[in-house]
Amino acid sequence: MIPALGAVLATSTISAVLSLILLTAQLHTYYLDQSLLSARSLADSSAAVFILGSRDLAERVAGAVVTKTDVSGIAFFGPDGELLFEPFGDVTLPSPLTIEHRSDPYLTSETSANWYLIVPVDARQSGHAADAPATERLGYLGIAVPKQPLHQMLLLVTLITGAVSILVCFPVLAWLNRRIRRMVWAITTLSDAVQRIDPARPSTSLPSCDGPRELVLINHAFTGLLKAIQRHQGSLEALVELRTQELREARDAALRTAQFRAQFMAMLSHEMKTPLNAIYGFAQSIADDLVFSDDGPAATRTRNILLNARKLTDLVTQILEIARMEEAKTELQLEAVNVTEIVRQATDALKPLAEANRNHVSIRCPEKLNAVLDPQKFERLLMNLGTNACKFTECGQIRIEVTLDDDHFEVAVIDSGIGIDPADQELIFEPFRQVDMSHKRRYPGTGLGLAISRHYCDIMGGRLTVSSTPGQGSTFTVRLPRRVDQIAAAARSESGTRLAVAATIQNGDLPDSRMVHRTRSAAAE
């Protein structure tokens, strides 16, 4: 409110000042014009002084002029601007005077106290030389006209203007103050009422607003909006409750379905493994009997049976492991092992697969690297990574490199195969996901190997990452701690479950003796 009143007061003040400046200029012009008119009449009474050249006459004329008119001083100049007599009164003009050939009186200079006028005196004006030429110049009068009447008038006008402004502005300001206070009060009341509205339970109305018509309309509009919001909120709450119940039922159904599916998959896998093991055993027995037989076709068929039985057994094992993953029932069998030995065994097992696609397999690892981990799961994830490298590489190189990094070690499986697009490098770790999901895909598989391998790394406190460039190959890196038992103990300590760790396993050289510790993964807790 105060800034608004200040703006009104400043506007009024500026308007008054501008009006005063304009009036001052007009008064200045008016008084100057009046002085010039008075100076013209003085020329008639002083013509005799120029004709006779009498100083006494000049003194009498000057005394009469200074006494009876608003003139503070007078000086007489000849036709060429030379000073004829000493100036009478307060007049300061240069001598000789710079003449402007003009027939009318004019202002030659001014100060804060006086105007200095030059009045031409012609022969015709005297009345004594009627036959003289019209342009005959007798001389000039220098007149000093005081500005005191102008200053008095300006003071009077200023006082009147100020009084009128005060008389006008204060009632206007009082009226504006009342109107603005009323408007501010109404806006404040409306704002406080809006801020007190609970977003969860908005009221249906606002307090009545006794203010300008516009604010009353805004109050009514807000009230209508609140009523509409409350109606809409009621319908939304009912709809949300309905959808929440539907989602809850759908979630429960999906959880039951997932549980039944996992149980069914586990049961089916167990049921399938028994006959598959029998088939594999009988086929192996027949193959042993045909070793020294001459029946070549029978031996070939038996080897095909063994190969496909092994593939089917591996597939069932993967499905069973996925079911365990979903139920968080994966178990770790921790042993103190030589990592180098496991890596070499896995490499030897991969060589037939590599040779089938004309690939060369090489290995680089330390002579001995002891660790405590689950050897079966570690070997399985190496086989999964190596099998993929052999499958997606033709006539290329496959390298397995083992490096030691303080209390961790890394195993990198590097191939020169087809590579993986960056957009697919995280999708391949999802169960049942492959880069090519079409029925006519070139490379067979279930899409479970990488998901299981990452799961094994996670539950042993490590990680599995991939770095690949399409057309140049891929690098899968397994990073595991050398003491998985300590990682598992820490995980169980955080979950509040105790874990017994054999005291014979030290932080230094790990023993070669196999010490088995059966424990569930931290995720199962």
Side-chain angles (χ1 to χ4, degrees):
M1 182 182 66
I2 293 178
L5 292 176
V8 173
L9 183 59
T11 303
S12 302
T13 303
I14 292 173
S15 300
V17 170
L18 292 177
S19 300
L20 186 60
I21 292 174
L22 181 61
L23 183 59
T24 299
Q26 292 177 349
L27 287 175
H28 183 278
T29 303
Y30 170 77
Y31 273 89
L32 181 59
D33 291 342
Q34 291 298 318
S35 298
L36 292 174
L37 290 176
S38 298
R40 186 186 299 275
S41 64
L42 292 176
D44 294 336
S45 60
S46 60
V49 175
F50 291 96
I51 295 174
L52 300 176
S54 174
R55 176 176 175 78
D56 293 336
L57 181 59
E59 185 175 354
R60 288 197 300 273
V61 171
V65 170
V66 172
T67 301
K68 298 179 180 180
T69 62
D70 293 331
V71 175
S72 61
I74 186 170
F76 297 89
F77 295 91
D80 297 327
E82 70 279 7
L83 183 63
L84 299 179
F85 312 108
E86 289 296 325
F88 300 95
D90 183 16
V91 56
T92 303
L93 290 172
S95 179
L97 186 66
T98 302
I99 300 302
E100 296 182 12
H101 297 286
R102 297 167 61 175
S103 59
D104 297 324
Y106 62 90
L107 177 68
T108 181
S109 62
E110 67 176 303
T111 63
S112 61
N114 296 296
W115 284 303
Y116 295 103
L117 308 180
I118 298 299
V119 184
V121 180
D122 296 331
R124 179 177 294 179
Q125 292 174 335
S126 65
H128 299 282
D131 56 346
T135 58
E136 183 178 354
R137 184 64 48 86
L138 299 177
Y140 297 91
L141 287 178
I143 301 174
V145 180
K147 291 184 178 180
Q148 185 177 1
L150 174 62
H151 293 164
Q152 293 174 350
M153 180 60 68
L154 289 177
L155 178 61
L156 180 61
V157 169
T158 303
L159 293 176
I160 294 174
T161 303
V164 171
S165 299
I166 292 174
L167 293 176
V168 173
C169 287
F170 271 97
V172 172
L173 289 177
W175 179 79
L176 286 176
N177 181 40
R178 182 174 177 275
R179 293 286 296 176
I180 292 176
R181 282 182 177 276
R182 186 181 177 190
M183 184 178 298
V184 170
W185 175 83
I187 293 175
T188 303
T189 303
L190 181 61
S191 176
D192 293 341
V194 172
Q195 290 179 358
R196 288 194 299 268
I197 293 175
D198 185 5
R201 298 291 179 186
S203 59
T204 57
S205 63
L206 293 175
S208 60
C209 178
D210 184 17
R213 180 174 178 274
E214 292 78 4
L215 291 179
V216 174
L217 294 177
I218 292 176
N219 183 281
H220 292 334
F222 264 110
T223 302
L225 179 62
L226 289 175
K227 292 180 180 179
I229 290 176
Q230 191 175 43
R231 291 193 300 270
H232 187 60
Q233 186 178 27
S235 61
L236 280 180
E237 289 177 351
L239 182 61
V240 168
E241 183 63 27
L242 177 62
R243 293 292 185 266
T244 302
Q245 183 63 28
E246 293 176 353
L247 290 174
R248 189 180 295 113
E249 294 175 355
R251 181 203 61 188
D252 295 340
L255 291 175
R256 288 194 299 270
T257 302
Q259 184 179 6
F260 293 152
R261 180 174 62 85
Q263 294 174 353
F264 174 76
M265 294 295 292
M267 180 186 65
L268 180 63
S269 299
H270 282 293
E271 294 297 328
M272 291 178 64
K273 288 190 71 173
T274 301
L276 281 175
N277 289 333
I279 292 172
Y280 188 82
F282 285 123
Q284 185 65 50
S285 177
I286 295 173
D288 293 340
D289 293 339
L290 293 176
V291 171
F292 301 103
S293 173
D294 294 334
D295 192 353
T300 302
R301 289 191 293 270
T302 303
R303 286 194 298 271
N304 289 334
I305 293 174
L306 287 172
L307 178 62
N308 287 281
R310 172 55 63 188
K311 290 182 179 180
L312 191 56
T313 301
D314 292 340
L315 176 59
V316 171
T317 302
Q318 289 182 346
I319 296 175
L320 181 60
E321 188 60 37
I322 288 294
R324 290 173 180 168
M325 286 171 51
E326 293 179 350
E327 294 184 353
K329 292 182 178 180
T330 305
E331 294 183 352
L332 290 178
Q333 298 180 6
L334 302 181
E335 300 180 12
V337 298
N338 185 359
V339 174
T340 300
E341 181 181 349
I342 298 176
V343 173
R344 292 186 184 278
Q345 292 175 357
T347 304
D348 293 338
L350 290 173
K351 286 183 178 180
L353 296 176
E355 293 172 355
N357 281 351
R358 300 182 299 280
N359 295 320
H360 175 71
V361 181
S362 61
I363 181 174
R364 189 181 70 182
C365 61
E367 290 296 329
K368 188 176 183 179
L369 176 58
N370 293 328
V372 176
L373 46 75
D374 189 326
Q376 294 182 351
K377 290 180 173 53
F378 178 64
E379 183 178 7
R380 184 58 182 270
L381 72 88
L382 288 180
M383 290 298 299
N384 288 339
L385 298 178
T387 301
N388 284 344
C390 294
K391 180 175 25 176
F392 294 102
T393 305
E394 296 181 359
C395 302
Q397 298 289 329
I398 298 173
R399 305 194 314 274
I400 300 178
E401 299 179 355
V402 182
T403 56
L404 181 62
D405 181 15
D406 294 335
D407 56 349
H408 288 72
F409 68 92
E410 293 185 353
V411 180
V413 180
I414 307 169
D415 65 68
S416 59
I418 61 175
I420 306 170
D421 190 86
D424 299 323
Q425 291 182 9
E426 284 301 318
L427 299 179
I428 59 176
F429 291 104
E430 298 179 8
F432 306 102
R433 287 295 298 267
Q434 290 181 311
V435 175
D436 185 5
M437 298 293 293
S438 63
H439 295 290
K440 298 180 180 180
R441 60 181 182 270
R442 178 181 177 184
Y443 302 101
T446 59
L448 298 176
L450 290 177
I452 295 173
S453 298
R454 172 166 279 189
H455 176 64
Y456 285 166
C457 287
D458 291 341
I459 64 175
M460 286 193 289
R463 65 175 183 267
L464 173 60
T465 58
V466 60
S467 174
S468 181
T469 302
Q472 298 182 13
S474 304
T475 300
F476 287 84
T477 303
V478 177
R479 180 178 175 83
L480 291 173
R482 295 186 66 189
R483 296 296 298 267
V484 177
D485 55 331
Q486 295 179 351
I487 301 298
R492 285 179 168 269
S493 176
E494 292 177 359
S495 61
T497 306
R498 298 182 61 186
L499 173 66
V501 180
T504 55
I505 299 179
Q506 304 296 331
N507 291 328
D509 294 334
L510 298 175
D512 292 334
S513 60
R514 303 218 166 190
M515 305 178 61
V516 180
H517 304 277
R518 296 181 178 271
T519 178
R520 292 184 183 273
S521 65
E525 300 301 328

